[in-house]
Amino acid sequence: MCGIVGYVGEQQAAPILLDGLGKLEYRGYDSAGIAVYDGENIEMKKSKGRLKVLNELTHDGETLPGTIGIGHTRWATHGEPSDVNAHPHFNEDRSIVVVHNGIIENYLKLKNKLIRKGYQFISDTDTEVVAHLLDYYYDGNPLRTITKIMHRMEGSYALGIMFKEHPDELYAVRKDSPLIVGHTKGGCVIASDVPAVLRYTRDVYFIENEEIVRMTKESMEFFSVDEEPIEKQSTHIEWDVDAAEKGGYEHFMLKEMYEQPKAITDTFSPRIKKNDVVIEELGMTDEDIKGIGKIMIVACGSAYHAGVTGKYVLEGMARIPVEVDVASEYRYRNPLIEDGTLVVIISQSGETADSLAALRMSKEKGAGVLGIVNVVGSSIAREADNVMYTWAGPEIAVATTKAYSCQLIAMYLLAMKFAKVRGTITDGELKEYIEDLKRIPDQVELLLNNKLRVQKFANRYLAARDVFFIGRGVDYAISMEGSLKLKEISYIHSEAYAAGELKHGTISLVEDGTLVLAVLTQEDLYKKMISNMVEVRTRGAFVMAVTNEGNDEVERAADYVIYIPETNRYFTNSLAIIPLQLFGYYIAVGKGCDVDKPRNLAKSVTVE
Ligand code: AGP
């Protein structure tokens, strides 16, 4: 996610903006910029790369005099990381300038409309559309102009805006992206997040959706989208900077778990149009989709686990043969890639060495390659023939949660799209799947709010060793991810096992007190799973089950049960993963492990 800052007051703005952006660096970014108004002109400096570059470009702000300005750190979603795509963005005559955090979902439609009206664009961003839209509706009244664009934009935004004709006024507005404002000595500040303002004030106003703020060095006024003045109460922030960077959560991992509902929504909603799945970035015609003979999913770690889920969902829904492999094996086994094979490389970072090598080898063998990537402009995103982004935003914790959940969503969207085009599901079924998809964010939130129940269970097992995660079908796939979460942050050995495979040897390891987490969300496999749970329990295991609400029968075969809300059989991984993430997290916290930076691990494995 991007970070915005703004200042209007008696002091020089540029140093304050640069300082604020520095406090937002932890959010992850690929470029940065500031614009400052000296009363004559609005001057801007922006560049790809670290904030250091911007500090050098502006001599720590000295080259941009003026007491009102806006700044931005960009996490690219639309348009590669580059100088021209960095924010701020101007309208054509540089009389309006804007910074933006969020995704304008209908930006293409608005952009085409503006182009038809003669507007010229220089960047690939959705934010430049906002700058020209402000220009289009500007009638000398900034507040009215802002409300007009609010009625026309869809998606999420936190905007900082300056108008040349109003040299003493700074405007801000939000919908779905965070925005706070506060008073400083002789002025006002705006920011995406608390750490950027803590140096100036601990009393902030959290801006609600569709609220607009007009600030001068002496005043701060709040308005509704109907231009009605509104009263707001400030909130006193007790957090220290470290806690503030985590939004008050103890760890980035927990913060990112709680960002899953929004990340999931951001990933599917631009691709659901009425009752159809539209994935423009696929670059495939219906004929291309009908011509797919096989899908080869290649990835590492959690991304690989998402691919295993993808296999079950794509084969089940779209009836396309799917093979899944870990990139470090795939790249050295000289795989057979027949005509009509679509290779899908899944990667959060887009820089994983093995996955990148697998992509290059697949292309050399003549396969079409689709990247499913979280970091815009990363190597895998650039080298894939087509890329479908997960819009999880920057993920700081080494153990992935929200990016993985968005990879699952990408698998569902592909399966729904392919199944619809190939006629293996009806319009009615697609409609139901879309309804189920739309319910997932709230269901995830519900499970996250049930965290104390998981925490209580986890605290009993801090001394656990050799934990087993068992499941069948997609529940086997999610067991892999649950096991990895536990291993990588708590350092407890665990393994995921296809439940039906236990009796072929591994069950010999089960003894008194062995902890087994059984995932059973597939109704047609309940009975088989319950038998497996009874098998391990009679050998002394303690069983925690994750199952669907209403499957009470499981109580007789489990010592502890976590229920997940109702969804269709293909989407249960998105819900079952939540208690498993929480379980691994609370075990690691209870053991005093470094949850966000586990030993021996890196966020992006760019070496073999
Ligand atoms: C997952 O929690 C790990 N951080 C790791 O397995 C990760 O999924 C793997 O290294 C792949 O990374 P990528 O998605 O960036 O390619």
Side-chain angles (χ1 to χ4, degrees):
M1 63 210 128
C2 304
I4 73 170
V5 294
Y7 171 80
V8 56
E10 293 162 352
Q11 300 174 49
Q12 287 301 301
I16 294 173
L17 300 173
L18 292 169
D19 174 72
L21 293 179
K23 299 292 187 300
L24 297 180
E25 276 199 292
Y26 72 90
R27 295 156 66 96
Y29 67 102
D30 48 60
S31 49
I34 61 173
V36 178
Y37 189 5
D38 62 6
E40 290 292 311
N41 294 301
I42 301 176
E43 297 299 337
M44 175 174 70
K45 282 289 181 198
K46 59 184 186 177
S47 73
K48 181 179 175 185
R50 310 307 292 167
L51 259 186
K52 194 166 68 65
V53 176
L54 191 61
N55 276 288
E56 286 161 6
L57 269 177
T58 63
H59 299 290
D60 294 330
E62 284 169 21
T63 62
L64 292 177
T67 59
I68 178 172
I70 52 179
H72 188 267
T73 49
R74 181 170 185 250
W75 167 268
T77 54
H78 294 75
E80 307 260 287
S82 67
D83 291 0
V84 76
N85 285 337
H87 302 204
H89 284 281
F90 274 113
N91 62 339
E92 285 177 357
D93 67 4
R94 297 172 80 94
S95 61
I96 299 173
V97 66
V98 62
V99 289
H100 166 223
N101 175 29
I103 296 176
I104 305 299
E105 291 172 8
N106 63 335
Y107 84 100
L108 271 180
K109 188 171 139 218
L110 295 171
K111 182 170 183 174
N112 292 333
K113 173 184 158 188
L114 289 162
I115 288 171
R116 284 197 298 275
K117 293 184 182 301
Y119 283 86
Q120 311 265 324
F121 285 80
I122 56 172
S123 82
D124 304 322
T125 66
D126 53 343
T127 306
E128 191 187 357
V129 174
V130 178
H132 295 312
L133 207 56
L134 285 163
D135 181 273
Y136 180 71
Y137 287 106
Y138 183 64
D139 60 2
N141 178 328
L143 186 59
R144 184 160 48 244
T145 303
I146 290 169
T147 58
K148 284 181 179 170
I149 71 165
M150 290 168 72
H151 287 109
R152 286 156 179 86
M153 293 190 298
E154 294 165 15
S156 57
Y157 50 84
L159 303 175
I161 311 167
M162 290 195 292
F163 297 84
K164 196 167 183 182
E165 289 181 358
H166 300 265
D168 305 323
E169 295 173 357
L170 174 64
Y171 289 83
V173 59
R174 80 154 285 200
K175 175 175 169 289
D176 292 340
S177 291
L179 178 67
I180 59 169
V181 301
H183 289 286
T184 68
K185 286 187 303 300
C188 298
V189 284
I190 69 170
S192 294
D193 206 351
V194 167
V197 303
L198 275 187
R199 177 176 181 178
Y200 309 104
T201 178
R202 285 189 170 274
D203 295 305
V204 301
Y205 297 85
F206 288 94
I207 305 304
E208 301 299 335
N209 271 356
E210 302 202 319
E211 287 182 350
I212 306 156
V213 199
R214 174 167 65 201
M215 290 153 279
T216 66
K217 66 181 179 182
E218 295 98 7
S219 65
M220 182 185 287
E221 300 162 280
F222 304 102
F223 301 91
S224 72
V225 69
D226 304 318
E227 299 179 46
E228 294 297 322
I230 49 180
E231 291 298 318
K232 284 184 75 67
Q233 297 302 316
S234 66
T235 303
H236 186 75
I237 301 293
E238 300 293 350
W239 297 332
D240 61 23
V241 172
D242 181 54
E245 286 186 356
K246 300 182 183 83
Y249 290 97
E250 192 182 349
H251 298 101
F252 279 112
M253 184 177 174
L254 189 60
K255 175 172 179 271
E256 287 156 8
M257 278 193 241
Y258 272 81
E259 288 172 348
Q260 287 180 119
K262 182 174 185 308
I264 289 168
T265 303
D266 286 349
T267 298
F268 74 65
S269 58
R271 294 156 172 147
I272 300 291
K273 308 279 185 214
K274 296 191 179 67
N275 280 323
D276 198 7
V277 175
V278 178
I279 313 175
E280 280 144 5
E281 61 273 38
L282 259 191
M284 297 175 82
T285 64
D286 286 1
E287 285 323 299
D288 295 335
I289 291 171
K290 288 173 183 164
I292 297 173
K294 176 181 171 184
I295 296 174
M296 182 75 226
I297 301 176
V298 186
C300 300
S302 295
Y304 165 73
H305 299 153
V308 178
T309 300
K311 171 185 172 64
Y312 287 106
V313 178
L314 282 156
E315 288 191 344
M317 213 186 271
R319 309 307 294 154
I320 300 173
V322 179
E323 199 181 321
V324 198
D325 204 348
V326 290
S328 54
E329 286 297 307
Y330 174 82
R331 65 181 289 196
Y332 292 115
R333 64 181 174 83
N334 191 17
L336 299 169
I337 298 185
E338 303 95 352
D339 285 348
T341 297
L342 171 67
V343 173
V344 178
I345 306 286
I346 306 175
S347 177
Q348 187 285 127
S349 63
E351 299 298 348
T352 300
D354 285 321
S355 304
L356 183 55
L359 179 153
R360 289 170 177 164
M361 183 186 75
S362 302
K363 289 180 76 171
E364 281 160 18
K365 287 176 174 283
V369 178
L370 170 68
I372 294 182
V373 182
N374 194 46
V375 178
V376 173
S378 56
S379 303
I380 289 174
R382 286 198 314 277
E383 297 190 28
D385 296 311
N386 295 292
V387 61
M388 177 181 179
Y389 284 115
T390 50
W391 282 316
E395 195 171 59
I396 313 295
V398 167
T400 183
T401 50
K402 62 175 183 173
Y404 165 79
S405 286
C406 292
Q407 290 163 356
L408 292 182
I409 298 297
M411 292 290 102
Y412 305 155
L413 289 168
L414 278 186
M416 291 154 77
K417 176 70 184 173
F418 290 175
K420 176 74 170 49
V421 169
R422 295 165 71 106
T424 54
I425 61 173
T426 64
D427 289 350
E429 284 169 321
L430 179 62
K431 187 166 181 293
E432 278 174 32
Y433 288 139
I434 289 172
E435 290 316 312
D436 285 344
L437 200 57
K438 288 179 178 173
R439 277 193 283 270
I440 288 176
D442 287 345
Q443 292 175 323
V444 165
E445 185 137 17
L446 190 73
L447 288 162
L448 285 166
N449 292 337
N450 187 19
K451 64 173 186 274
L452 296 182
R453 194 156 144 62
V454 179
Q455 182 176 17
K456 199 171 109 213
F457 175 73
N459 285 342
R460 285 193 217 156
Y461 283 90
L462 301 183
R465 292 178 27 255
D466 301 320
V467 180
F468 287 91
F469 291 74
I470 63 172
R472 290 171 179 255
V474 289
D475 294 336
Y476 173 39
I478 205 64
S479 296
M480 294 176 183
E481 179 57 15
S483 171
L484 178 60
K485 285 283 119 2
L486 177 66
K487 278 186 279 195
E488 65 177 329
I489 60 177
S490 75
Y491 317 144
I492 291 176
H493 174 256
S494 87
E495 56 186 305
Y497 235 84
E501 190 60 12
L502 274 173
K503 55 185 171 299
H504 298 287
T506 302
I507 200 165
S508 65
L509 292 178
V510 176
E511 57 192 17
D512 265 357
T514 300
L515 178 58
V516 175
L517 283 91
V519 185
L520 56 163
T521 69
Q522 305 298 294
E523 282 190 46
D524 57 336
L525 295 168
Y526 278 167
K527 293 211 179 313
K528 294 287 180 200
M529 274 302 296
I530 286 174
S531 309
N532 296 137
M533 291 157 65
V534 170
E535 276 166 19
V536 293
R537 230 172 154 219
T538 46
R539 289 164 176 78
F542 188 95
V543 177
M544 167 174 152
V546 178
T547 191
N548 301 324
E549 277 166 4
N551 180 22
D552 308 330
E553 192 193 351
V554 78
E555 302 273 349
R556 67 180 174 84
D559 299 279
Y560 204 81
V561 182
I562 299 278
Y563 290 99
I564 64 170
E566 191 56 41
T567 187
N568 71 69
R569 60 197 162 125
Y570 293 120
F571 295 173
T572 59
N573 274 191
S574 293
L575 305 180
I577 190 56
I578 302 303
L580 301 185
Q581 287 172 346
L582 289 167
F583 176 71
Y585 173 77
Y586 283 117
I587 292 263
V589 168
K591 289 187 66 182
C593 297
D594 183 346
V595 172
D596 287 331
K597 297 188 179 71
R599 67 187 184 197
N600 311 338
L601 294 178
K603 183 60 186 170
S604 176
V605 185
T606 56
V607 293
E608 279 199 49

